[in-house]
Amino acid sequence: MGAELRIDGLCAGYGRVDVLRDVTLRVDAGEMVTLIGSNGAGKSTLLKAVAGLLRPAAGTVTLGGVPITGMAPERIVRQRLALVPEGRMLFGPLTVDENLLIGAHSRPARDAGVAADLERVRMLFPMLAERGAQISATLSGGEQQMLAVGRALMSGPEVLLLDEPSLGLAPRVIAAIFEALDTLRSEGLSILLVEQDAHLALRHADRGYVMRNGAIALEGPADKLRDDEQVRHAYLGGRPETRE
Amino acid sequence: MEAAEFLQYVIAGLKSGSIYALVALGFTVVYGSTGIINFAQGEFFMLGGVLTVWFYGLGLPVPIAGLAAVATTAALGILFERFALRKQRSAGPLVLVIITIGGSMVMKSLARHLFGPDELSLPEFTPGPSIDIAGAAVERQALWVWGLTIVAVVVLWWLYRKTRLGRAMRACSISHDAARLMGIDTARIVMVSFGIAAALGALAGFAVTPLTQTSWDAGAAIGVKGFAAAILGGLGNPVASVVGGLVLGLLESLSVAFISSTYKDAISLAVLLIVLFARPQGLFGSARREKV
Ligand SMILES: Nc1ncnc2c1ncn2[C@@H]1O[C@H](COP(=O)(O)OP(=O)(O)OP(=O)(O)O)[C@@H](O)[C@H]1O
Ligand SMILES: [Mg+2]
């Protein structure tokens, strides 16, 4: 079910401000890849450019071999790429169930996969089944993040992009969300995970990229990056590897 | 004042209030999906009446003429969005609002050109003597106005709450970016919203023309009132717009009863200003809310 995502020489920015400079990054089918970097490095900008919210100035993005560079977001999601955006962007005044239903908007109304995916999402986050009728703005932060992930899954993606899903959440909730991501990856979904918490991200991902000033500064297998002096110094607070 | 006389004023208020409600709904639907005020909304009302008279003149029976007028106006609303507004969307809300003002002028002059400068009238849908309710006289056409308003509100409620299109419209009213990430074609939703708003305005014009007559310049006044009603309801959900319309109609009518008819048309302006200063979120709005 996973597809390969390739980003080649991508440049993008806001108006006349260039942010991304020649970014090349790849997520193989069924792989979990993380992108780490400090505030303002351009991680969210990259995800927005891939999902179609920003039009790249140069470079290409291909999804399972199909070019999606510069496509509108409403078309990209039909190519089976979904983004869990920074800040979640839930439909706050709508109920949990309505959010999930809108998540499936890109699929035909009679698609049998929608009901199956709804089941799957509710298995992954049982809370969403219990709270179906609740207004989503009244969910706790962790519950909202679960809904944001669930809503993205309702489009039936082959590649899932997540922008800082752990931000501002309690450790227990973060653990639940990352457990869900591990499950999804083991089911074959390709995942590109943007994280501030480099420890956490590198513990779960297969490979990682480090972004600095809009460009990729380092890349490698997750465990190699964890041991890398530079990464440790800059993103892991110089702390020695914590024991699990 | 006798009870029957008072009731007569209430009925008059609810009659014009229904019309304001339909026009207010048009403002609300467009505001919901675009965040802009469509100042051409009053012209959709005008077109509904004027086109019904025109189709009627071609020999169509009144109900068919009315349907044709509503459909034509809806199509014009869609074309207006598609060809006058869509390309300018990136220019920001102010530019769009100015285009709707320009559009309303164009529609007005065209209507004057095509249908003439005179008052146009239409027979009642079901002619006959007024009906007596507790001593107050209710015109048969008023029942049509109420009936059509109720049907429009129920259909709109069903659309928003129960259909895929309605869900997409509500998503759009919350965040265009989030809606697009879900695969919603927001440009299409905006276009459809203009069609629905135009149909609502036209329906009001169609329903009330037998009572009030109409003409090429009927849009501006009703536009102000519908806008005041929408603001009174907080530009919020459809239900709030309907209540806003009815409240405004009643306020006007009762001001005639208790103060003087001189101030009738000033009421909506006063309401507009008071609400905007004292309670910009309207009667029902809360600080954070869904726009439609
Ligand atoms: N809408 C915008 N308009 C203009 N500049 C922007 C916009 N959004 C982000 N930027 C700028 O682009 C640069 C990269 O921002 P981006 O949000 O991609 O960083 P990030 O790596 O996601 O940071 P964080 O970890 O804080 O989320 C920053 O300098 C930011 O100020
Ligand atoms: Mg970010």
Side-chain angles (χ1 to χ4, degrees):
Chain A
M1 63 181 269
E4 176 203 52
L5 174 70
R6 274 179 172 281
I7 301 167
D8 265 304
L10 202 72
C11 300
Y14 305 91
R16 299 228 301 279
V17 186
D18 294 329
V19 176
L20 299 181
R21 295 177 289 123
D22 196 19
V23 174
T24 297
L25 182 156
R26 168 187 108 246
V27 183
D28 289 333
E31 201 183 22
M32 185 182 324
V33 170
T34 185
L35 174 66
I36 57 180
S38 49
N39 288 115
K43 307 178 297 294
S44 299
T45 304
L46 178 69
L47 295 193
K48 283 190 252 175
V50 171
L53 289 176
L54 265 184
R55 188 178 268 279
T60 59
V61 183
T62 59
L63 184 64
V66 179
I68 58 165
T69 326
M71 254 190 208
E74 59 268 27
R75 291 186 53 210
I76 288 180
V77 67
R78 288 181 171 77
Q79 301 294 320
R80 307 242 174 248
L81 178 140
L83 168 66
V84 181
E86 191 169 36
R88 308 191 268 264
M89 291 171 78
L90 290 178
F91 301 110
L94 305 191
T95 65
V96 168
D97 281 348
E98 285 172 327
N99 270 275
L100 292 175
L101 273 174
I102 293 173
H105 187 92
S106 58
R107 304 161 85 172
R110 274 184 259 295
D111 188 337
V114 173
D117 278 344
L118 187 59
E119 268 314 295
R120 184 162 145 260
V121 165
R122 286 172 170 167
M123 296 255 281
L124 207 56
F125 303 115
M127 174 281 301
L128 295 179
E130 295 154 21
R131 304 292 187 84
Q134 189 171 335
I135 299 295
S136 54
T138 65
L139 296 172
S140 74
E143 292 164 346
Q144 289 192 17
Q145 190 64 58
M146 291 177 190
L147 178 55
V149 175
R151 184 183 66 173
L153 291 174
M154 289 303 293
S155 67
E158 292 175 348
V159 175
L160 183 66
L161 315 182
L162 298 109
D163 201 340
E164 302 202 28
S166 76
L167 195 69
L169 304 182
R172 198 173 42 80
V173 183
I174 294 175
I177 288 172
F178 273 77
E179 195 182 316
L181 295 184
D182 287 340
T183 306
L184 291 168
R185 197 255 320 259
S186 70
E187 289 170 7
L189 187 65
S190 314
I191 298 177
L192 176 57
L193 170 70
V194 161
E195 260 302 333
Q196 283 270 324
D197 187 339
H199 272 296
L200 177 73
L202 291 172
R203 226 160 44 223
H204 287 265
D206 301 304
R207 288 188 303 114
Y209 292 80
V210 178
M211 184 174 261
R212 198 177 294 147
N213 292 327
I216 301 294
L218 269 176
E219 65 171 285
D223 47 355
K224 289 265 163 40
L225 284 180
R226 259 193 305 179
D227 296 337
D228 187 283
E229 253 329 293
Q230 261 185 297
V231 175
R232 253 155 87 165
H233 194 73
Y235 306 104
L236 305 178
R239 284 177 281 161
E241 173 60 4
T242 45
R243 300 279 147 240
E244 313 289 320
Chain B
M1 183 181 293
E2 284 174 49
E5 198 188 339
F6 180 74
L7 188 60
Q8 193 72 59
Y9 280 110
V10 169
I11 286 167
L14 291 178
K15 194 172 63 189
S16 36
S18 299
I19 297 301
Y20 303 161
L22 287 176
V23 178
L25 279 173
F27 278 106
T28 302
V29 169
V30 164
Y31 180 78
S33 56
T34 63
I36 67 164
I37 305 293
N38 168 28
F39 282 103
Q41 183 62 33
E43 308 312 326
F44 295 147
F45 168 89
M46 177 275 289
L47 287 171
V50 166
L51 285 170
T52 305
V53 174
W54 186 72
F55 281 119
Y56 178 67
L58 293 181
L60 294 178
V62 173
I64 306 292
L67 274 180
V70 170
T72 309
T73 309
L76 288 171
I78 286 172
L79 292 175
F80 176 58
E81 191 286 326
R82 180 66 187 81
F83 294 105
L85 291 167
R86 186 178 295 182
K87 283 211 189 66
Q88 307 301 326
R89 276 198 70 79
S90 56
L94 186 60
V95 170
L96 295 177
V97 169
I98 290 170
I99 294 175
T100 69
I101 295 173
S104 95
M105 291 175 184
V106 171
M107 290 181 215
K108 239 163 115 160
S109 350
L110 276 180
R112 175 156 199 222
H113 219 77
L114 294 172
F115 307 109
D118 302 326
E119 290 281 321
L120 304 168
S121 53
L122 195 68
E124 292 201 15
F125 299 176
T126 45
S130 296
I131 294 159
D132 183 284
I133 297 179
V138 184
E139 298 135 307
R140 284 162 188 252
Q141 189 63 26
L143 300 179
W144 280 107
V145 168
W146 290 326
L148 287 174
T149 304
I150 291 168
V151 169
V153 170
V154 169
V155 167
L156 202 60
W157 177 87
W158 169 81
L159 179 77
Y160 271 124
R161 296 287 144 176
K162 302 287 171 191
T163 69
R164 191 175 146 84
L165 173 66
R167 262 200 309 273
M169 290 176 74
R170 292 161 73 203
C172 214
S173 83
I174 297 164
S175 160
H176 274 224
D177 275 353
R180 297 184 76 188
L181 286 175
M182 304 299 119
I184 294 169
D185 183 347
T186 51
R188 192 177 136 262
I189 296 292
V190 168
M191 195 172 77
V192 169
S193 303
F194 268 84
I196 292 173
L200 288 165
L203 182 69
F206 159 60
V208 82
T209 294
L211 292 172
T212 59
Q213 303 195 308
T214 191
S215 60
W216 64 279
D217 60 353
I222 199 78
V224 171
K225 293 183 179 186
F227 180 51
I231 293 285
L232 188 60
L235 275 173
N237 56 58
V239 178
S241 297
V242 171
V243 177
L246 294 178
V247 168
L248 184 66
L250 284 173
L251 281 177
E252 272 189 6
S253 180
L254 296 179
S255 80
V256 172
F258 293 107
I259 310 171
S260 149
S261 60
T262 327
Y263 301 114
K264 179 170 176 259
D265 288 329
I267 294 285
S268 46
L269 281 176
V271 163
L272 201 55
L273 293 178
I274 292 170
V275 173
L276 287 177
F277 279 115
R279 203 174 155 77
Q281 72 274 39
L283 289 182
F284 312 100
S286 54
R288 241 187 77 79
R289 61 171 201 277
E290 194 184 346
K291 274 186 292 185
V292 292

